Amino acid sequence: MEPHKSRLSRAISIPAGIVAAIGRVVISVCQEVGRFSLFAAESLSHVARPPFFVREFLAALMSIGFLSLPVVALTALFAGAALALQIYAGGSRFSAEASVPTVVAIGMVRELGPVLCGLMVAGRAASAIAAEIATMKVTEQLDALITLSTNPQKFLVTPRIYAAVVTLPVLTGIGDVLGIMGGFLIGTTRLGFSPESYTRTTLLFLEQNDIASGLVKGAVFGMIIALVGCYYGMRSGRGAKGVGHATTSSVAVSSALIIASNYILTELFFNA
């Protein structure tokens, strides 16, 4: 009887252990969401209040915007070219090859342009923001700011939010243009479209709402990138391991939030 009871208790303890492990993960995720929400609310509360640190803003503008331009441009150009090839190959099955200019333009402006731009900048800028602030924490520069009666969130986070929200729509617009240009080059050199008909079809079906939705997405993605990078930088552990964890976490979380928020924004703009 005793061996039977012991086997039964072990069989019950295994599912209980799994449930406990899942519960710990869920609680940890909820705690992290709560901490990030409080951090975001506090950071955004400083956006409209002085003082404004112009030098920090300009440095962040250069780091997040200008230095991200080459990778965004190359990604958008080749994405548009590949999209044109894929649409032509798929459309040829239904005699819909003529839809290539329209689908490339709408796909780049609505989805691929802002999402690819957000992901590329997240991989480059969010990691750089997190690493920079985490290094400042390790070297006690954040404590020095507090000693000088300077709010670290106001000094470090707010200028980066400004810079990201300003530059991401600009980068998205540039990526949209280059993505459409990539489709144009492939369409006119490989797929048999004339430059005049390709341009005319693109302009005919592209609407202002399509362009506006992509730019709004870019601004939202920029805010996410800045907040996530600063959050993990300020919460990093001590030492090189803490800096590395902050860097990788900022990229992973900001990328996931960009994909999730892209769906929400798409629902808001195009749910009809």
Side-chain angles (χ1 to χ4, degrees), residues 30 41 76 81 122 211 239:
C30 291
I211 300 172

Coordinates of all heavy atoms in Angstrom, one line a residue, residues 30 41 76 81 122 211 239:
C30 N 3.9 39.7 -15.1 CA 3.0 40.8 -14.6 C 3.7 41.9 -13.8 O 3.4 43.1 -14.0 CB 1.9 40.2 -13.7 SG 0.7 39.2 -14.7
A41 N 4.9 55.8 -17.6 CA 4.1 56.9 -17.2 C 4.9 58.0 -16.6 O 4.6 59.2 -16.9 CB 3.0 56.4 -16.2
A76 N 15.0 48.7 -46.6 CA 13.8 49.1 -47.3 C 13.9 48.8 -48.8 O 13.0 48.3 -49.5 CB 13.4 50.5 -47.0
A81 N 12.3 45.5 -53.4 CA 12.6 44.7 -54.6 C 12.1 43.3 -54.5 O 11.6 42.7 -55.4 CB 14.1 44.8 -54.8
A122 N 15.3 49.4 -33.6 CA 15.3 48.7 -32.3 C 16.6 47.9 -32.1 O 17.2 47.9 -31.1 CB 14.1 47.8 -32.2
I211 N -0.4 56.7 -46.2 CA 0.9 57.3 -45.8 C 0.8 57.8 -44.3 O 1.8 57.6 -43.5 CB 1.2 58.5 -46.7 CG1 1.3 58.1 -48.1 CG2 2.4 59.3 -46.3 CD1 1.4 59.2 -49.1
G239 N 28.0 45.4 -13.3 CA 29.0 44.6 -14.0 C 28.7 44.4 -15.5 O 27.6 44.8 -16.0

